[in-house]
């Protein structure tokens, strides 16, 4: 990579991540308002996330009794980093990607597996019981969504005979994976919600834990942590758009626009899920994941294999 | 971290337009009034004092709650301020939080919250100092080989905090770490005023003890005027109700009240309950829709029906599962438990004794299974039933001394209802997982302040 590229790449990822997280917040405000029956104007919705972030900048941090400061401070940074890593592997347009590595799908899987680490650190370090329960809940749900997540992504890569996201997208120009493997995207969206501990799978940060892993965070730390969570959501949506919705493929508009539109569409679906589906209980999700999600992912990958033969 | 230098002004200007994050401490009889602040776009009621800039204390605090309130106060990040809504008149009673900005009982606090928030951010109002000393409850004692005073690596009370101890698991006998933890009285996942002392293994409650603020033996501070009626939302209607500001179920103790008004108040109470239950189920937005309906003086039956169907579509009832936190008929019969008893198949309802209700063909709604889900179903059905009764009521009037069924149980038995529920909670929650326990507690709709002497009585 050229020196200019070395500078431009992180900048591009940062801008994309920031824009994505802002978009999640705006969609969230609009969907929540619609469900609640009092939607604010788009102007208000567009500015509110920025205003809320500014407010966090003005606050000072609080501390709990004997926290593990290093681990606590590391958690949001790690989470943002993982969201960024997911985004780097996704091509914006044909041949335009920060790092369309030959094993992009594996990289994504590795990043997704690592998400447990910052989430558990965030739960464990404040030395607070409900946060800790939140951290452990992440283990329970991650053990349940990880294998289905990996299976449907490998299923998406099968027809392309490549693990690079560029090839996976290029292979879908005629027929998107969402049609070729109808079970893939639904399973992936459930897994993505689990990965970003979002909506019905916000078990680590649920209202029943009064925020759980979020409970003791304050000020910039809280803002960074929530940014990280939504960064993972954005990363997961971008990967979903590439793996199942044909990435840059689409008529008239330039490829990059299609990639962004499809990512936004998946984000809207994930945000709608947050407001339209109740949070599931941890043990129930574990059972559902192993008895429904996992077989569905296996059927998905076997059917794809059979179709390719 | 706080932004300084030349960046500060623009950041301040941006931040000024953000909804004010408020952490609420809910005192006796203020639960509904505080809940309705969620409808105000200028405020954001948050789940943790660490996320807030303003602490809102509502109503007078019973003596034993002063220290927990101060602890919440000290958890707010700087810059911070306190607003005390319906503060006790006696200055001595306000010593817990001496810098709090008082707001009169009959006034909505949002404007004051907004003002102190802006002042404290701009620096024109000093950020409130810590109230409690920042020190360990007990000094490190250095007992035993690891210094904590327990056996091996477990047990003991380092710094006065109990450390986990090996204990058999309730469900499979596996020896795991059991930790005694106290939750509440202001944890937003629990009813305000409820303290839950539990021994937990992971998130399974092994032993449970509950204590209601209203039944504590400590000194109860002098009551202030009503903040907002308990049963009615403190909307325009409540303020028009004038001096008393009380709901239909309070008024019927002294004067005749139309049956329709009582049934509307019941529906609104249950809608308020639904809003809170939905919030705890992770459906804040739908909860706001329920709350908005609860805040209308005359909720529309069609809108309530649509809301009920929307609730079912979210899978909230399915997520509760079946057979969770079951109350058997024998446990609830004859104990003034109202909808909780009816959800377990006990057709106890004072309304069945009243000729006015009988003339409308009233039959109590009953569910059989007595679990958390049945209690949801029960209240959803009672919302529809009450709105139907209110619509069909002619000019029937219920007078003082006649049989009245309040939203939580028989009229005149508020304290008894709460005590009976508290007596059941320990058994009900033992062995439950945390999320299940929170849902079960919410489904009981208990008011931990109810056992206290009635407000306004000398």
């Amino acid at each position: 990579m050229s020196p200019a590229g070395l500078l431009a790449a992180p900048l591009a990822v940062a801008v994309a991540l920031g824009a994505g997280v802002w978009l999640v917040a705006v969609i969230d405000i609009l969907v929540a308002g619609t469900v609640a029956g009092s939607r604010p104007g788009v102007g208000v919705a567009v500015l509110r996330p920025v205003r809320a972030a500014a407010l966090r900048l003005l606050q000072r941090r609080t501390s709990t009794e004997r926290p593990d400061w290093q681990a606590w401070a590391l958690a949001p940074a790690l989470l943002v980093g993982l969201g960024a890593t997911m985004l780097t592997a996704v091509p914006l347009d044909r041949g335009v990607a920060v790092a369309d590595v030959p094993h992009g799908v594996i990289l994504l899987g590795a990043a997704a597996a690592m998400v447990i680490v910052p989430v558990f650190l965030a739960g464990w370090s404040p030395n607070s019981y409900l946060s800790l329960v939140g951290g452990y809940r992440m283990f329970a749900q991650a053990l349940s969504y990880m294998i289905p997540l990996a299976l449907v992504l490998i299923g998406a890569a099968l027809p392309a005979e490549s693990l690079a996201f560029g090839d996976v997208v290029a292979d879908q120009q005629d027929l998107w994976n969402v049609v070729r493997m109808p079970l893939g995207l639904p399973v992936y969206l459930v897994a993505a919600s689990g990965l970003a501990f979002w909506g019905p799978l916000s078990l680590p940060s649920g209202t029943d834990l009064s925020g759980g892993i979020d409970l003791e965070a304050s000020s910039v730390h809280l803002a960074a942590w929530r940014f990280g969570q939504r960064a993972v959501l954005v990363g997961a949506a971008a990967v979903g758009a590439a793996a199942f919705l044909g990435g840059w493929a689409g008529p008239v508009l330039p490829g990059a626009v299609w990639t962004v539109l499809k990512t936004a569409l998946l984000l809207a679906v994930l945000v709608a899920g947050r407001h339209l589906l109740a949070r599931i209980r941890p043990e129930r999700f574990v059972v559902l994941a192993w008895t429904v999600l996992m077989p569905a992912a296996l059927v998905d990958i076997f059917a794809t294999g059979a179709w390719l033969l | 971290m706080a932004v300084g230098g030349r960046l500060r002004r623009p950041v301040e200007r941006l931040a000024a337009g953000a909804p004010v994050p408020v952490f609420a401490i809910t005192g006796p009889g203020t639960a509904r009034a505080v809940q309705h602040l969620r409808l105000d776009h200028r405020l954001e009621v948050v789940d943790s004092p660490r996320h807030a800039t303003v602490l809102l204390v509502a109503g007078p605090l019973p003596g034993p709650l002063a220290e927990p309130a101060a602890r919440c106060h000290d958890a707010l990040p700087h810059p911070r301020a306190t607003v005390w809504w319906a503060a006790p008149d006696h200055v001595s009673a306000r010593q817990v939080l001496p810098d709090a900005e008082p707001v009169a009982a009959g006034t909505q606090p949002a404007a004051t919250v907004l003002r102190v928030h802006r002042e404290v951010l701009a620096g024109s109002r000093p950020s409130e100092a810590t109230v409690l000393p920042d020190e360990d409850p007990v000094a490190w004692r250095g007992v035993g080989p690891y210094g904590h005073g327990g056996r091996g690596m477990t047990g003991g009370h380092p710094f006065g905090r109990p450390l986990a101890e090996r204990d058999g698991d309730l469900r499979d006998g596996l020896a795991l770490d059991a930790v005694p933890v106290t939750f509440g009285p202001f944890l937003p996942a629990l009813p305000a005023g409820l303290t839950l002392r539990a021994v937990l293994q992971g998130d399974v409650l092994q032993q449970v003890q509950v204590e209601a603020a209203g039944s504590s033996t400590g000194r109860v501070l002098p009551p202030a005027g009503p903040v907002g009626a308990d049963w009615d939302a403190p909307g325009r209607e409540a303020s028009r109700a004038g001096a008393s500001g009380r709901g239909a179920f309070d008024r019927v103790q002294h004067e005749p009240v139309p049956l329709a008004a009582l049934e509307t108040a019941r529906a609104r109470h249950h809608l308020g309950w639904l809003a809170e239950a939905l919030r705890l189920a992770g459906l804040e937005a739908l909860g706001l829709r329920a709350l908005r309906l609860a805040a209308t003086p005359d909720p529309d039956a069609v809108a309530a029906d649509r809301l009920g169907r929307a609730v079912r579509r979210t899978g909230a009832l399915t997520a509760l599962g079946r057979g969770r936190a079951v109350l058997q008929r024998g446990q609830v019969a004859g104990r003034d438990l109202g909808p909780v008893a009816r959800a377990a198949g006990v057709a106890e309802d004072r309304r069945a004794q009243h000729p006015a209700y009988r003339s409308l063909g009233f039959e109590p709604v009953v569910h059989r299974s007595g679990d958390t889900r049945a209690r949801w179903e029960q209240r959803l059905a009672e919302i529809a039933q009450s709105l139907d009764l209110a619509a069909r009521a002619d000019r029937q009037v219920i007078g003082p001394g006649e049989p009245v069924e309040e939203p939580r149980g028989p009229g005149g038995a508020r304290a008894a209802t709460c005590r009976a529920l508290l007596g059941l909670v320990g058994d009900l929650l033992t062995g439950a997982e945390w999320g299940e326990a929170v849902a079960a507690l919410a489904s009981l709709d208990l008011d931990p302040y109810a056992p206290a002497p009635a407000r306004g009585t000398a």
Side-chain angles (χ1 to χ4, degrees), chain B residues 134-154:
Chain B
D134 185 14
E135 58 191 30
D136 297 313
V138 174
W140 176 265
R141 280 200 303 263
V143 185
Y146 298 97
H148 59 76
R151 286 173 284 113
M153 301 283 282
T154 59

Side-chain angles (χ1 to χ4, degrees), chain A residues 64-68 72 122-129 131-132 216:
Chain A
T64 55
E65 197 177 313
R66 294 188 173 72
D68 182 338
W72 205 6
W124 179 76
S125 354
N127 201 8
S128 163
Y129 203 85
S131 297
L132 187 64
E216 306 286 359

Side-chain angles (χ1 to χ4, degrees), chain A residues 268-285:
Chain A
V269 171
L270 287 164
V271 170
R274 175 185 177 185
H275 295 293
L276 297 177
L277 294 172
R279 194 181 49 247
I280 192 167
R281 270 186 298 123
E283 54 162 49
R284 210 180 170 86
F285 174 66

Side-chain angles (χ1 to χ4, degrees), chain B residues 99-451:
Chain B
D99 302 323
E101 181 89 15
V103 174
T107 325
Q108 284 294 314
T112 311
V113 168
L114 219 65
R115 179 171 55 79
V116 298
H117 164 80
R118 290 198 176 135
E119 285 172 1
V120 84
L121 274 190
S124 59
R125 181 192 181 91
S127 180
E128 288 174 16
T130 303
V131 178
L132 295 175
D134 185 14
E135 58 191 30
D136 297 313
V138 174
W140 176 265
R141 280 200 303 263
V143 185
Y146 298 97
H148 59 76
R151 286 173 284 113
M153 301 283 282
T154 59
H157 284 70
F159 298 111
R161 304 277 187 240
L163 210 59
E165 183 96 69
R166 280 292 165 91
D167 196 8
D169 186 291
L170 268 185
R171 297 177 298 185
D172 51 16
L174 201 66
L176 292 165
D177 287 351
V179 198
V181 190
T182 302
F183 301 98
F186 302 124
L187 187 73
L190 305 177
L194 190 79
T195 305
L196 182 78
R197 289 179 223 286
V199 175
L200 287 120
Q201 282 188 342
D203 73 339
V204 178
L205 294 126
Q206 303 279 94
Q207 290 170 36
V208 182
Q209 245 191 325
V210 285
E211 190 186 305
S215 53
S216 60
T217 47
R219 191 173 60 101
V220 175
L221 297 175
V227 171
D230 217 0
W231 308 115
D232 277 17
R236 225 173 291 145
E237 185 204 39
S239 45
R240 250 194 279 123
S244 82
R246 300 229 165 154
F249 288 101
D250 281 326
R251 277 188 281 130
V252 77
Q253 294 172 9
H254 314 289
E255 64 193 57
V257 173
L259 185 150
L262 285 177
E263 289 310 309
T264 308
R266 182 190 322 281
R268 292 172 66 188
H269 174 91
H270 286 328
L271 282 166
W273 167 84
L274 181 63
E276 177 64 7
L278 285 171
R279 185 183 77 77
L280 291 174
L283 294 163
E284 290 94 329
L286 198 59
L288 285 183
R289 184 167 146 194
L291 195 56
R292 185 160 290 113
L293 207 53
T296 19
D298 209 359
D300 178 27
V302 179
D305 183 50
R306 270 201 216 111
L307 174 70
R309 268 181 283 149
V311 169
R312 281 169 203 285
R313 275 198 300 272
T314 63
L317 290 161
T318 317
L320 294 171
R322 287 187 193 278
R324 304 282 157 177
V326 177
L327 287 170
Q328 305 290 352
R329 285 181 66 111
Q331 287 176 285
V332 292
R335 301 192 62 188
D336 300 336
L337 289 176
V340 171
R342 293 196 283 280
V346 180
E348 283 173 12
D349 197 319
R350 289 275 173 91
R351 287 175 286 179
Q353 303 163 11
H354 200 287
Y357 281 99
R358 279 207 297 270
S359 72
L360 289 171
F362 172 80
E363 288 271 352
V365 181
V366 174
H367 285 80
R368 296 261 162 251
S369 52
D371 57 6
T372 300
R373 182 175 172 153
R375 290 187 283 274
W376 273 63
E377 297 273 15
Q378 180 70 32
R379 292 209 175 77
L380 286 174
E382 289 197 12
I383 291 170
Q385 186 192 37
S386 289
L387 290 177
D388 173 58
L389 286 171
R392 287 193 296 119
D394 210 5
R395 284 177 194 281
Q396 291 94 332
V397 168
I398 313 290
E402 294 176 8
V404 170
E405 181 78 10
E406 291 189 354
R408 289 185 168 115
R414 286 178 197 176
T417 303
C418 176
R419 274 194 227 103
L421 284 175
L422 287 170
L424 293 170
V425 166
D427 279 348
L428 198 64
L429 302 189
T430 306
E433 292 184 350
W434 178 261
E436 214 177 296
V438 167
L441 265 177
S443 76
L444 296 177
D445 186 23
L446 63 88
D447 174 11
Y449 292 114

